[in-house]
Amino acid sequence: MNELALRIAVMPGDGIGPEVMEAALLVLDAVQRRVGGFRLLLEPLEAGAAAYRRSGVALSEECFARAAAADAILFGAMGLPDVRLPDGREIAPQLDLRERLCLFAGVRPIRLLPGVPSALADPRAREIDLVILREQTEGLFAGRGRGLVTEERAEDRLVVTRPASERLFEFAFALARERKTRRGRARVDLVDKANVLGSMAFFRAIFLERAARYPEIEAGCRYVDATALDLVRRPWDLDVLVTENLMGDILSDLGAGLVGGMGFAPTADLGSGKGLFQPAHGSAPDIAGRGIANPTAMILSAAMMLEWLGRTRAVESCRIAAERIESAVERVYASGRIRPVELGGTSGTRAIAEAVAAELEAGPVDPLSPERRA
Ligand code: ATP
């Protein structure tokens, strides 16, 4: 039997990272038993604050090389507030991986799952289905570790380059085109601060040049402050929001807050041929070790990984597996069977993973699946 083997670098990290990773691996195991045609070869890698504390290195060169050589990277969360570099910053291998693997597109879907209450009372909140597309190789994060800090003054640089902006906007319009095929409509809005910063006016000019090449996709520009307001006031009207690194970082937490909390926001960090998949949340040390973290964002990130592998490697069974996970997650929430602690319920990390896995096991068994062949 010819099965495609895919190497997955598994980087659980710190805090709740290992807890939500274990949950996602349980679900990946369940889906592989039902859908055949591919096999995930998991390669656990140690990196993060704990690794830094032990060895003085947060992301070793060997670990980086193995992650870079894998077909995809599944990532939990890294960093702890009390583990700091000599200059006071937290260790952040996820940022190093983004920069070194050139994972320029941070794809952050914000969607309200059936059965999950929104922070907004308006019934139109059920229609929230937008994507924040965050530039991840420059912007204000380009100043990371390279700023000027003296006794009297501190400076960080905001960098916007033409090539990075062009590839980001190409990605945004391709994403919108794909969403238009699926949902019948799509628009791309650039989110910036072009009224104040020259770098943002430059960013906007490049966006408008690119937008002119996609007359079939509606495009617009909006300021980041007004966008924060509209994300709360009418998020159902927003579709693809493309933005600078730090602005995307902030707006995506706001977006997560609209759809249940950090435990509901998956992400895909994509570059040319490379993909890293992780929940939008951090290591959440305030709840780590208690088994109460919501693993839904991690599970949905694993589904995004399968969807991306399916698309980029032309493996239909991976795409099917991604859809199965997404619809199993939707069904368990819609049925009211689980309510995460994050939403005031009692369902812990393991219970949520087991509910999703059980839902998958109650679903169809594909002809190529290991169970059918057994
Ligand atoms: P980072 O800067 O590394 O992204 P952060 O400091 O913004 O991290 P998070 O670790 O994302 O913070 O946590 C923010 C809040 O959200 C915390 O109160 C945390 O407990 C909560 N939180 C984060 N992830 C989850 C989760 N999966 N389930 C439940 N609560 C979560």
Side-chain angles (χ1 to χ4, degrees):
M1 176 74 240
N2 251 352
E3 266 184 344
L4 182 70
L6 295 160
R7 278 180 54 208
I8 309 299
V10 176
M11 307 179 86
D14 306 302
I16 61 169
E19 300 170 38
V20 294
M21 182 64 81
E22 194 185 320
L25 295 183
L26 186 92
V27 170
L28 284 175
D29 190 48
V31 84
Q32 283 179 91
R33 276 187 272 113
R34 309 303 270 185
V35 181
F38 72 97
R39 195 157 40 95
L40 302 179
L41 305 178
L42 305 179
E43 193 174 342
L45 298 177
E46 270 195 62
Y52 180 78
R53 202 152 31 193
R54 208 181 40 258
S55 66
V57 183
L59 177 67
S60 69
E61 279 310 307
E62 193 207 334
C63 185
F64 173 77
R66 288 167 69 181
D71 289 293
I73 304 168
L74 198 56
F75 191 102
M78 289 188 193
L80 290 173
D82 57 340
V83 180
R84 302 264 171 175
L85 296 167
D87 68 2
R89 289 175 301 125
E90 275 188 36
I91 63 103
Q94 63 277 26
L95 302 184
D96 300 325
L97 284 163
R98 276 177 203 159
E99 280 177 18
R100 294 180 69 183
L101 296 175
C102 202
L103 304 173
F104 66 89
V107 181
R108 294 158 170 240
I110 304 292
R111 203 162 65 84
L112 188 63
L113 295 175
V116 173
S118 172
L120 304 178
D122 193 307
R124 281 174 296 177
R126 298 251 63 90
E127 295 159 30
I128 297 173
D129 180 4
L130 62 99
V131 179
I132 295 172
L133 179 59
R134 168 183 175 189
E135 200 293 323
Q136 298 199 137
T137 57
E138 50 183 37
L140 202 47
F141 278 47
R144 195 171 66 101
R146 300 175 197 116
L148 166 84
V149 182
T150 70
E151 286 293 313
E152 296 299 324
R153 181 184 176 83
E155 283 179 20
D156 286 311
R157 271 186 321 145
L158 192 162
V159 177
V160 176
T161 67
R162 175 170 282 278
S165 305
E166 286 178 352
R167 74 183 170 205
L168 177 74
F169 299 142
E170 286 297 326
F171 190 102
F173 285 103
L175 176 66
R177 192 180 266 167
E178 182 267 316
R179 282 169 68 83
K180 189 169 182 174
T181 314
R182 212 160 21 87
R183 303 157 73 241
R185 63 187 170 86
R187 65 172 284 129
V188 181
D189 282 294
L190 174 71
V191 178
D192 65 25
K193 195 70 187 168
N195 49 341
V196 175
L197 299 172
S199 57
M200 291 285 100
F202 175 73
F203 199 41
R204 184 178 281 209
I206 298 169
F207 175 78
L208 293 172
E209 274 170 35
R210 288 286 138 168
R213 298 185 179 192
Y214 296 88
E216 77 284 11
I217 308 283
E218 273 181 68
C221 300
R222 34 171 61 247
Y223 297 130
V224 64
D225 38 359
T227 304
L229 179 71
D230 280 341
L231 270 168
V232 174
R233 212 167 46 172
R234 47 180 196 91
W236 40 85
D237 289 339
L238 302 172
D239 190 3
V240 176
L241 299 176
V242 58
T243 191
E244 180 272 339
N245 209 337
L246 182 66
M247 294 179 190
D249 186 28
I250 297 168
L251 293 181
S252 45
D253 274 28
L254 199 170
L258 298 175
V259 295
M262 294 309 295
F264 287 98
T267 76
D269 294 344
L270 304 179
S272 164
K274 298 272 173 223
L276 180 151
F277 303 82
Q278 67 172 129
H281 61 74
S283 60
D286 54 335
I287 56 165
R290 295 165 54 196
I292 60 169
N294 180 1
T296 309
M298 182 79 239
I299 293 168
L300 291 174
S301 301
M304 287 178 85
M305 175 184 82
L306 289 173
E307 193 281 329
W308 177 79
L309 283 167
R311 187 160 33 85
T312 55
R313 308 285 196 283
V315 189
E316 186 54 19
S317 52
C318 280
R319 293 170 76 144
I320 293 170
E323 280 169 22
R324 293 270 173 88
I325 294 176
E326 277 171 19
S327 65
V329 167
E330 284 182 14
R331 283 197 304 275
V332 291
Y333 277 105
S335 71
R337 255 175 293 157
I338 52 171
R339 193 163 174 94
V341 177
E342 186 177 28
L343 292 176
T346 54
S347 311
T349 314
R350 177 110 198 150
I352 296 172
E354 281 171 353
V356 175
E359 188 65 32
L360 284 164
E361 274 149 19
V365 186
D366 290 359
L368 289 178
S369 72
E371 288 182 3
R372 183 66 73 86
R373 287 186 278 120

